[in-house]
Amino acid sequence: MHAEIAEPSRLQLGEGSFWDAATGRLYWIGIEDRRVMWLEPATGEVTSLELDTMPGTLVPYRDGRVLLATQRGFELLDTATGALRPVAEVEADRTHRRMNDGKCDPYGRLLAGTMTLDEPREPGPLYRLEPSGGGTVRAVPVLDGLAIPNGLAWPEPDRLWYIDTPTRRIDLYAYPEHGPVGPLIRTIDTAQLPGDPDGMTLDAEGNLWVAFWGGSAVRCFGPDGTLLETVELPVPQVTSVAFGGPDLRTLYITSAATGTDPGDGLPHGALFRCEGAATGRPGVPWAGPGA
């Protein structure tokens, strides 16, 4: 299968694709670009908001707001005004780090990890945003020792697929409703495939669709690790995936221009789509401070 361009913006580090069924929007972000973007496929309209911080991931909330994991922690963005409001600080004293990819668990709590801005990669934790009483939330570490925290997917409420990119593995963990993530159940090893696993989503059958940084592809794996399908892209740095559209049958794929040749004529950093690859599962929005 092949993907086509859905939106041609050249982002240095496109990431964080999420289909919001409530608004009919496909959200994605530019991390180094400090931008939040959304596409309304029904009209073709594209909106871009510039931020004063680097976003790492995005999930919808309600009333036109989205929850971001940023370099400062967790923040609410009003998409109508562009205003940001702090929700919970994360590693505020460690300015050489930022938050990266994340996703809400089946209970509506956002999880996102942190990583260093440059090499060498200092290990850090995966945080979960949990209620702390009185309508407030706090960031609680639930898994540690991660270099580049990336894709998350829950095949069942008590199971979590997780990617720490440098390991080149997709790990399945036990996921209790409360407390730390773990133990490790099994692993899909991708070391023999081109590129490194990055963002990830599940289809309705429980298969994993994984973006491969440096691999020019999205690859689909069965739960047992069998490689089932490959979506080829014309650019190498493939970063995140999300099923969208009213029937969840459009696979949206983000990419990055980082580390590429700007003069080679390729659409690095564009948003792509692949029609009919599979039927996806609805994304989970943030449930709010009472989750």
Side-chain angles (χ1 to χ4, degrees):
M1 292 186 289
H2 295 269
E4 62 181 14
I5 295 175
E7 203 285 325
S9 291
R10 183 184 175 91
L11 296 177
Q12 280 300 113
L13 188 49
E15 260 284 8
S17 50
F18 190 105
W19 174 257
D20 182 16
T23 60
R25 291 176 175 176
L26 187 285
Y27 284 101
W28 75 109
I29 60 173
I31 296 178
E32 295 177 0
D33 314 85
R34 301 189 175 209
R35 290 164 69 183
V36 167
M37 302 184 67
W38 62 89
L39 166 69
E40 300 186 45
T43 63
E45 183 178 357
V46 176
T47 303
S48 176
L49 287 179
E50 292 190 12
L51 308 177
D52 65 352
T53 185
M54 285 190 285
T57 198
L58 172 154
V59 291
Y61 180 38
R62 57 173 176 251
D63 302 328
R65 292 173 291 170
V66 297
L67 180 65
L68 302 175
T70 75
Q71 191 170 8
R72 296 185 290 239
F74 295 97
E75 302 184 69
L76 270 176
L77 171 68
D78 186 327
T79 60
T81 65
L84 279 168
R85 181 174 69 82
V87 172
E89 285 189 346
V90 176
E91 302 179 5
D93 58 336
R94 303 171 74 186
T95 56
H96 66 296
R97 298 179 66 83
R98 65 167 175 83
M99 303 203 78
N100 200 45
D101 202 4
K103 200 167 287 183
C104 284
D105 70 12
Y107 309 100
R109 303 170 300 191
L110 179 58
L111 285 79
T114 60
M115 60 180 284
T116 55
L117 296 176
D118 301 300
E119 301 285 354
R121 298 297 181 192
E122 172 190 309
L126 175 68
Y127 290 94
R128 184 168 61 212
L129 199 55
E130 298 188 350
S132 56
T136 62
V137 290
R138 62 192 179 104
V140 177
V142 293
L143 184 65
D144 210 348
L146 307 171
I148 304 180
N150 264 310
L152 305 94
W154 285 262
E156 304 291 342
D158 63 350
R159 294 287 185 270
L160 168 65
W161 286 110
Y162 193 73
I163 292 171
D164 182 14
T165 291
T167 68
R168 305 194 72 186
R169 301 192 313 261
I170 309 165
D171 292 327
L172 182 66
Y173 289 94
Y175 188 80
E177 183 177 353
H178 302 287
V181 171
L184 181 67
I185 297 171
R186 67 176 181 273
T187 286
I188 298 173
D189 188 352
T190 72
Q192 301 307 310
L193 298 170
D196 300 320
D198 198 322
M200 171 173 56
T201 193
L202 282 167
D203 66 22
E205 303 300 320
N207 299 316
L208 293 159
W209 294 78
V210 183
F212 275 77
W213 176 272
S216 302
V218 173
R219 297 188 177 96
C220 175
F221 300 89
D224 63 353
T226 302
L227 179 60
L228 302 177
E229 194 69 74
T230 299
V231 179
E232 298 179 353
L233 284 98
V235 294
Q237 315 296 44
V238 187
T239 55
S240 78
V241 285
F243 284 100
D247 56 2
L248 295 176
R249 287 188 57 79
T250 302
L251 184 66
Y252 287 100
I253 306 163
T254 58
S255 68
T258 299
T260 64
D261 180 0
D264 64 10
L266 297 177
H268 304 291
L271 175 73
F272 295 86
R273 64 171 170 249
C274 179
E275 301 290 349
T279 300
R281 299 185 181 193
V284 179
W286 185 43

